[in-house]
Short mmCIF file of all heavy atoms in Angstrom, two decimals:
data_model
loop_
_atom_site.label_atom_id
_atom_site.label_comp_id
_atom_site.label_asym_id
_atom_site.label_seq_id
_atom_site.Cartn_x
_atom_site.Cartn_y
_atom_site.Cartn_z
N ASN A 1 18.14 1.30 -0.45
CA ASN A 1 18.15 2.63 -1.12
C ASN A 1 16.75 2.91 -1.68
O ASN A 1 16.06 2.05 -2.23
CB ASN A 1 19.16 2.66 -2.30
CG ASN A 1 20.59 2.70 -1.78
OD1 ASN A 1 20.81 2.99 -0.56
ND2 ASN A 1 21.54 2.40 -2.63
N THR A 2 16.33 4.20 -1.59
CA THR A 2 15.03 4.63 -2.05
C THR A 2 15.19 5.61 -3.21
O THR A 2 16.17 6.38 -3.19
CB THR A 2 14.20 5.23 -0.92
OG1 THR A 2 14.93 6.28 -0.33
CG2 THR A 2 13.88 4.12 0.17
N TYR A 3 14.22 5.62 -4.06
CA TYR A 3 14.19 6.54 -5.20
C TYR A 3 12.79 7.05 -5.40
O TYR A 3 11.75 6.40 -5.14
CB TYR A 3 14.60 5.75 -6.48
CG TYR A 3 15.95 5.07 -6.34
CD1 TYR A 3 16.03 3.76 -5.87
CD2 TYR A 3 17.15 5.73 -6.65
CE1 TYR A 3 17.23 3.06 -5.73
CE2 TYR A 3 18.39 5.08 -6.50
CZ TYR A 3 18.39 3.78 -6.02
OH TYR A 3 19.58 3.14 -5.91
N TYR A 4 12.68 8.37 -5.82
CA TYR A 4 11.43 8.97 -5.95
C TYR A 4 11.33 9.77 -7.26
O TYR A 4 12.30 10.34 -7.76
CB TYR A 4 11.24 10.00 -4.76
CG TYR A 4 11.22 9.31 -3.41
CD1 TYR A 4 12.38 9.16 -2.66
CD2 TYR A 4 10.08 8.77 -2.93
CE1 TYR A 4 12.45 8.54 -1.49
CE2 TYR A 4 10.11 8.15 -1.68
CZ TYR A 4 11.26 8.05 -0.97
OH TYR A 4 11.22 7.42 0.27
N ALA A 5 10.17 9.82 -7.78
CA ALA A 5 9.88 10.73 -8.87
C ALA A 5 10.01 12.14 -8.38
O ALA A 5 9.78 12.46 -7.22
CB ALA A 5 8.49 10.51 -9.37
N ASP A 6 10.47 13.07 -9.28
CA ASP A 6 10.64 14.45 -8.87
C ASP A 6 9.36 15.04 -8.32
O ASP A 6 9.37 15.92 -7.48
CB ASP A 6 11.13 15.30 -10.03
CG ASP A 6 12.61 14.95 -10.40
OD1 ASP A 6 13.32 14.37 -9.50
OD2 ASP A 6 12.99 15.28 -11.49
N SER A 7 8.20 14.63 -8.88
CA SER A 7 6.95 15.18 -8.49
C SER A 7 6.56 14.91 -7.02
O SER A 7 5.68 15.57 -6.47
CB SER A 7 5.86 14.74 -9.45
OG SER A 7 5.77 13.29 -9.40
N VAL A 8 7.14 13.86 -6.45
CA VAL A 8 6.79 13.50 -5.07
C VAL A 8 7.95 13.58 -4.11
O VAL A 8 7.70 13.41 -2.86
CB VAL A 8 6.19 12.05 -4.96
CG1 VAL A 8 5.06 11.94 -6.04
CG2 VAL A 8 7.25 11.03 -5.22
N LYS A 9 9.15 13.91 -4.57
CA LYS A 9 10.35 13.94 -3.74
C LYS A 9 10.07 15.01 -2.62
O LYS A 9 9.66 16.13 -2.88
CB LYS A 9 11.51 14.35 -4.55
CG LYS A 9 12.89 13.89 -4.00
CD LYS A 9 13.99 14.10 -5.02
CE LYS A 9 13.88 13.17 -6.14
NZ LYS A 9 14.97 13.28 -7.14
N GLY A 10 10.44 14.56 -1.43
CA GLY A 10 10.21 15.49 -0.23
C GLY A 10 8.89 15.39 0.40
O GLY A 10 8.67 15.93 1.48
N ARG A 11 7.92 14.77 -0.30
CA ARG A 11 6.55 14.65 0.24
C ARG A 11 6.18 13.13 0.50
O ARG A 11 5.40 12.93 1.46
CB ARG A 11 5.50 15.21 -0.76
CG ARG A 11 5.76 16.69 -1.08
CD ARG A 11 4.63 17.23 -1.93
NE ARG A 11 4.49 16.57 -3.23
CZ ARG A 11 3.40 15.95 -3.65
NH1 ARG A 11 2.30 15.89 -2.79
NH2 ARG A 11 3.37 15.38 -4.80
N PHE A 12 6.63 12.27 -0.30
CA PHE A 12 6.38 10.79 -0.15
C PHE A 12 7.58 10.08 0.40
O PHE A 12 8.69 10.43 0.09
CB PHE A 12 5.94 10.26 -1.51
CG PHE A 12 4.66 10.72 -2.05
CD1 PHE A 12 3.93 11.82 -1.52
CD2 PHE A 12 4.03 10.04 -3.13
CE1 PHE A 12 2.75 12.28 -2.08
CE2 PHE A 12 2.89 10.47 -3.67
CZ PHE A 12 2.19 11.54 -3.11
N THR A 13 7.25 9.02 1.15
CA THR A 13 8.34 8.15 1.64
C THR A 13 7.93 6.71 1.50
O THR A 13 6.79 6.32 1.96
CB THR A 13 8.55 8.49 3.15
OG1 THR A 13 8.84 9.87 3.38
CG2 THR A 13 9.70 7.63 3.70
N ILE A 14 8.78 5.91 0.91
CA ILE A 14 8.60 4.49 0.83
C ILE A 14 9.37 3.77 1.88
O ILE A 14 10.48 4.18 2.23
CB ILE A 14 9.01 3.98 -0.59
CG1 ILE A 14 8.68 2.51 -0.77
CG2 ILE A 14 10.50 4.20 -0.91
CD1 ILE A 14 8.82 1.98 -2.20
N SER A 15 8.72 2.79 2.47
CA SER A 15 9.43 2.01 3.55
C SER A 15 8.89 0.59 3.49
O SER A 15 7.94 0.33 2.78
CB SER A 15 9.13 2.68 4.94
OG SER A 15 7.74 2.62 5.23
N ARG A 16 9.58 -0.27 4.21
CA ARG A 16 9.17 -1.67 4.23
C ARG A 16 9.34 -2.26 5.65
O ARG A 16 10.16 -1.74 6.50
CB ARG A 16 10.00 -2.49 3.24
CG ARG A 16 11.50 -2.62 3.64
CD ARG A 16 12.38 -3.12 2.43
NE ARG A 16 11.97 -4.37 1.90
CZ ARG A 16 12.45 -4.79 0.75
NH1 ARG A 16 13.22 -4.11 0.04
NH2 ARG A 16 12.04 -6.03 0.32
N ASP A 17 8.50 -3.22 6.00
CA ASP A 17 8.61 -3.92 7.21
C ASP A 17 8.64 -5.40 6.80
O ASP A 17 7.69 -6.08 6.57
CB ASP A 17 7.40 -3.62 8.10
CG ASP A 17 7.54 -4.29 9.51
OD1 ASP A 17 8.25 -5.31 9.59
OD2 ASP A 17 6.95 -3.79 10.43
N ASN A 18 9.89 -5.97 6.75
CA ASN A 18 10.02 -7.36 6.35
C ASN A 18 9.35 -8.35 7.25
O ASN A 18 8.92 -9.39 6.85
CB ASN A 18 11.51 -7.69 6.20
CG ASN A 18 12.17 -7.02 4.92
OD1 ASN A 18 11.51 -6.66 4.05
ND2 ASN A 18 13.43 -6.91 5.01
N SER A 19 9.29 -7.95 8.56
CA SER A 19 8.65 -8.91 9.48
C SER A 19 7.11 -9.04 9.25
O SER A 19 6.57 -10.11 9.56
CB SER A 19 8.86 -8.41 10.97
OG SER A 19 8.17 -7.18 11.17
N LEU A 20 6.56 -8.04 8.60
CA LEU A 20 5.12 -8.08 8.23
C LEU A 20 4.95 -8.37 6.79
O LEU A 20 3.74 -8.47 6.34
CB LEU A 20 4.42 -6.76 8.60
CG LEU A 20 4.43 -6.32 10.05
CD1 LEU A 20 3.80 -4.96 10.26
CD2 LEU A 20 3.73 -7.40 10.93
N ASN A 21 6.00 -8.53 6.06
CA ASN A 21 5.94 -8.70 4.57
C ASN A 21 5.05 -7.68 3.94
O ASN A 21 4.22 -7.90 3.05
CB ASN A 21 5.37 -10.11 4.23
CG ASN A 21 6.09 -10.77 3.12
OD1 ASN A 21 7.30 -10.43 2.84
ND2 ASN A 21 5.45 -11.65 2.38
N THR A 22 5.31 -6.43 4.37
CA THR A 22 4.46 -5.26 3.93
C THR A 22 5.36 -4.10 3.59
O THR A 22 6.50 -3.91 4.27
CB THR A 22 3.56 -4.88 5.10
OG1 THR A 22 2.69 -5.98 5.40
CG2 THR A 22 2.65 -3.65 4.70
N PHE A 23 5.03 -3.34 2.62
CA PHE A 23 5.70 -2.10 2.45
C PHE A 23 4.63 -0.95 2.27
O PHE A 23 3.46 -1.22 2.10
CB PHE A 23 6.72 -2.07 1.24
CG PHE A 23 6.15 -2.37 -0.09
CD1 PHE A 23 6.10 -1.41 -1.11
CD2 PHE A 23 5.76 -3.67 -0.51
CE1 PHE A 23 5.60 -1.64 -2.31
CE2 PHE A 23 5.28 -3.92 -1.72
CZ PHE A 23 5.17 -2.90 -2.68
N TYR A 24 5.16 0.28 2.35
CA TYR A 24 4.24 1.41 2.60
C TYR A 24 4.68 2.60 1.70
O TYR A 24 5.81 2.69 1.19
CB TYR A 24 4.38 1.88 4.06
CG TYR A 24 4.13 0.80 5.02
CD1 TYR A 24 5.21 0.08 5.63
CD2 TYR A 24 2.85 0.50 5.46
CE1 TYR A 24 5.02 -0.94 6.54
CE2 TYR A 24 2.68 -0.55 6.43
CZ TYR A 24 3.72 -1.18 6.97
OH TYR A 24 3.54 -2.18 7.81
N LEU A 25 3.70 3.46 1.55
CA LEU A 25 3.95 4.79 0.90
C LEU A 25 3.27 5.80 1.75
O LEU A 25 2.05 5.92 1.75
CB LEU A 25 3.43 4.81 -0.50
CG LEU A 25 3.80 6.08 -1.30
CD1 LEU A 25 5.25 6.12 -1.56
CD2 LEU A 25 3.01 6.18 -2.64
N GLN A 26 4.15 6.56 2.52
CA GLN A 26 3.62 7.65 3.24
C GLN A 26 3.50 8.85 2.40
O GLN A 26 4.55 9.27 1.77
CB GLN A 26 4.53 7.98 4.45
CG GLN A 26 4.15 9.17 5.25
CD GLN A 26 2.83 9.02 6.00
OE1 GLN A 26 2.65 7.99 6.62
NE2 GLN A 26 2.01 10.03 5.96
N MET A 27 2.36 9.44 2.27
CA MET A 27 2.15 10.60 1.41
C MET A 27 1.70 11.82 2.16
O MET A 27 0.64 11.77 2.80
CB MET A 27 1.05 10.25 0.27
CG MET A 27 1.36 8.97 -0.46
SD MET A 27 0.17 8.64 -1.79
CE MET A 27 -1.38 8.38 -0.84
N ASP A 28 2.55 12.84 2.15
CA ASP A 28 2.25 14.04 2.91
C ASP A 28 2.08 15.16 1.92
O ASP A 28 2.44 15.13 0.78
CB ASP A 28 3.41 14.34 3.84
CG ASP A 28 3.60 13.27 4.93
OD1 ASP A 28 2.57 12.76 5.41
OD2 ASP A 28 4.70 12.94 5.27
N SER A 29 1.42 16.27 2.40
CA SER A 29 1.21 17.47 1.57
C SER A 29 0.59 17.11 0.24
O SER A 29 1.12 17.51 -0.84
CB SER A 29 2.57 18.19 1.30
OG SER A 29 3.12 18.58 2.61
N LEU A 30 -0.43 16.33 0.27
CA LEU A 30 -1.06 15.88 -1.02
C LEU A 30 -1.67 17.06 -1.71
O LEU A 30 -2.12 18.05 -1.07
CB LEU A 30 -2.17 14.81 -0.67
CG LEU A 30 -1.58 13.50 -0.33
CD1 LEU A 30 -2.67 12.59 0.43
CD2 LEU A 30 -1.11 12.74 -1.56
N ASN A 31 -1.65 16.97 -3.01
CA ASN A 31 -2.29 18.01 -3.81
C ASN A 31 -3.11 17.31 -4.91
O ASN A 31 -2.99 16.14 -5.17
CB ASN A 31 -1.25 18.93 -4.37
CG ASN A 31 -0.26 18.28 -5.27
OD1 ASN A 31 -0.66 17.74 -6.34
ND2 ASN A 31 1.00 18.26 -4.94
N PRO A 32 -3.99 18.04 -5.55
CA PRO A 32 -4.94 17.42 -6.55
C PRO A 32 -4.15 16.65 -7.63
O PRO A 32 -4.69 15.72 -8.18
CB PRO A 32 -5.66 18.63 -7.11
CG PRO A 32 -5.71 19.64 -5.99
CD PRO A 32 -4.36 19.49 -5.28
N ASP A 33 -2.95 17.06 -7.90
CA ASP A 33 -2.16 16.32 -9.00
C ASP A 33 -1.79 14.94 -8.57
O ASP A 33 -1.40 14.12 -9.35
CB ASP A 33 -0.93 17.13 -9.36
CG ASP A 33 -1.17 18.30 -10.16
OD1 ASP A 33 -2.25 18.42 -10.77
OD2 ASP A 33 -0.35 19.26 -10.19
N ASP A 34 -1.96 14.64 -7.26
CA ASP A 34 -1.64 13.31 -6.77
C ASP A 34 -2.84 12.35 -6.88
O ASP A 34 -2.73 11.14 -6.61
CB ASP A 34 -1.23 13.35 -5.28
CG ASP A 34 0.05 14.14 -5.06
OD1 ASP A 34 0.96 13.94 -5.81
OD2 ASP A 34 0.08 14.96 -4.10
N THR A 35 -3.95 12.88 -7.34
CA THR A 35 -5.13 12.04 -7.54
C THR A 35 -4.84 10.94 -8.62
O THR A 35 -4.42 11.30 -9.74
CB THR A 35 -6.29 12.92 -8.00
OG1 THR A 35 -6.73 13.81 -6.92
CG2 THR A 35 -7.53 12.04 -8.33
N ALA A 36 -5.03 9.68 -8.24
CA ALA A 36 -4.72 8.57 -9.13
C ALA A 36 -5.08 7.27 -8.46
O ALA A 36 -5.38 7.23 -7.22
CB ALA A 36 -3.22 8.56 -9.48
N VAL A 37 -5.06 6.22 -9.21
CA VAL A 37 -5.02 4.86 -8.61
C VAL A 37 -3.60 4.49 -8.42
O VAL A 37 -2.80 4.58 -9.39
CB VAL A 37 -5.76 3.88 -9.56
CG1 VAL A 37 -5.68 2.45 -8.89
CG2 VAL A 37 -7.22 4.26 -9.76
N TYR A 38 -3.24 4.02 -7.19
CA TYR A 38 -1.89 3.78 -6.84
C TYR A 38 -1.73 2.25 -6.82
O TYR A 38 -2.60 1.54 -6.23
CB TYR A 38 -1.59 4.31 -5.51
CG TYR A 38 -1.25 5.85 -5.56
CD1 TYR A 38 -2.29 6.71 -5.78
CD2 TYR A 38 0.00 6.33 -5.45
CE1 TYR A 38 -2.15 8.04 -5.85
CE2 TYR A 38 0.25 7.69 -5.52
CZ TYR A 38 -0.80 8.53 -5.74
OH TYR A 38 -0.53 9.91 -5.78
N PHE A 39 -0.68 1.77 -7.41
CA PHE A 39 -0.39 0.26 -7.52
C PHE A 39 0.98 0.05 -6.85
O PHE A 39 1.97 0.71 -7.14
CB PHE A 39 -0.28 -0.12 -8.95
CG PHE A 39 -1.60 0.09 -9.76
CD1 PHE A 39 -1.82 1.26 -10.36
CD2 PHE A 39 -2.50 -0.90 -9.86
CE1 PHE A 39 -3.01 1.51 -11.08
CE2 PHE A 39 -3.72 -0.69 -10.55
CZ PHE A 39 -3.94 0.49 -11.16
N CYS A 40 1.01 -1.05 -6.09
CA CYS A 40 2.32 -1.47 -5.60
C CYS A 40 2.76 -2.70 -6.48
O CYS A 40 1.96 -3.40 -7.00
CB CYS A 40 2.23 -1.95 -4.12
SG CYS A 40 1.09 -3.34 -3.76
N GLY A 41 4.09 -2.73 -6.68
CA GLY A 41 4.68 -3.74 -7.49
C GLY A 41 5.91 -4.36 -6.86
O GLY A 41 6.61 -3.70 -6.03
N ALA A 42 6.21 -5.61 -7.19
CA ALA A 42 7.46 -6.20 -6.66
C ALA A 42 8.15 -6.82 -7.92
O ALA A 42 7.58 -7.54 -8.77
CB ALA A 42 7.08 -7.35 -5.70
N ALA A 43 9.46 -6.58 -7.94
CA ALA A 43 10.31 -7.08 -9.05
C ALA A 43 11.41 -7.99 -8.42
O ALA A 43 12.17 -7.62 -7.64
CB ALA A 43 11.02 -5.89 -9.76
N TYR A 44 11.43 -9.25 -8.95
CA TYR A 44 12.41 -10.20 -8.43
C TYR A 44 13.65 -10.26 -9.34
O TYR A 44 14.77 -10.47 -8.88
CB TYR A 44 11.77 -11.61 -8.37
CG TYR A 44 12.66 -12.65 -7.76
CD1 TYR A 44 12.86 -12.69 -6.38
CD2 TYR A 44 13.33 -13.56 -8.59
CE1 TYR A 44 13.70 -13.64 -5.84
CE2 TYR A 44 14.17 -14.50 -7.97
CZ TYR A 44 14.30 -14.52 -6.62
OH TYR A 44 15.18 -15.51 -6.08
N TYR A 45 13.40 -10.16 -10.64
CA TYR A 45 14.50 -10.33 -11.56
C TYR A 45 15.21 -9.01 -11.84
O TYR A 45 14.92 -7.97 -11.17
CB TYR A 45 13.94 -10.96 -12.87
CG TYR A 45 13.46 -12.31 -12.66
CD1 TYR A 45 12.07 -12.61 -12.57
CD2 TYR A 45 14.35 -13.37 -12.42
CE1 TYR A 45 11.64 -13.89 -12.32
CE2 TYR A 45 13.85 -14.70 -12.15
CZ TYR A 45 12.51 -14.91 -12.14
OH TYR A 45 12.02 -16.17 -11.95
N PHE A 46 16.06 -9.00 -12.77
CA PHE A 46 16.90 -7.88 -13.07
C PHE A 46 16.20 -6.64 -13.38
O PHE A 46 15.25 -6.68 -14.24
CB PHE A 46 17.87 -8.27 -14.20
CG PHE A 46 18.77 -7.18 -14.64
CD1 PHE A 46 19.87 -6.78 -13.94
CD2 PHE A 46 18.47 -6.52 -15.88
CE1 PHE A 46 20.67 -5.78 -14.37
CE2 PHE A 46 19.29 -5.50 -16.31
CZ PHE A 46 20.42 -5.12 -15.57
N CYS A 47 16.55 -5.50 -12.81
CA CYS A 47 16.09 -4.20 -13.22
C CYS A 47 17.22 -3.50 -14.00
O CYS A 47 18.35 -3.56 -13.57
CB CYS A 47 15.68 -3.35 -12.08
SG CYS A 47 14.17 -3.79 -11.32
#
């Protein structure tokens, strides 16, 4: 299941490729408000 902030819903897509141990963030229709440093994170324990 995937979840998105309202500000990016419909424009960004998160996906993963377990065979490559990699996940992605496809960002479309970018606007100046998307300017930032982007960080990926992994959570093993309880959310």
Side-chain angles (χ1 to χ4, degrees):
N1 287 346
T2 57
Y3 305 92
Y4 299 92
D6 288 342
S7 58
V8 306
K9 201 170 293 183
R11 300 186 298 121
F12 291 12
T13 304
I14 186 172
S15 61
R16 68 197 299 167
D17 187 333
N18 288 337
S19 67
L20 297 177
N21 220 26
T22 300
F23 62 109
Y24 307 94
L25 185 69
Q26 176 68 45
M27 306 186 296
D28 299 321
S29 301
L30 285 161
N31 62 62
D33 288 339
D34 298 316
T35 295
V37 178
Y38 284 72
F39 299 88
C40 62
Y44 184 78
Y45 297 104
F46 174 75
C47 283

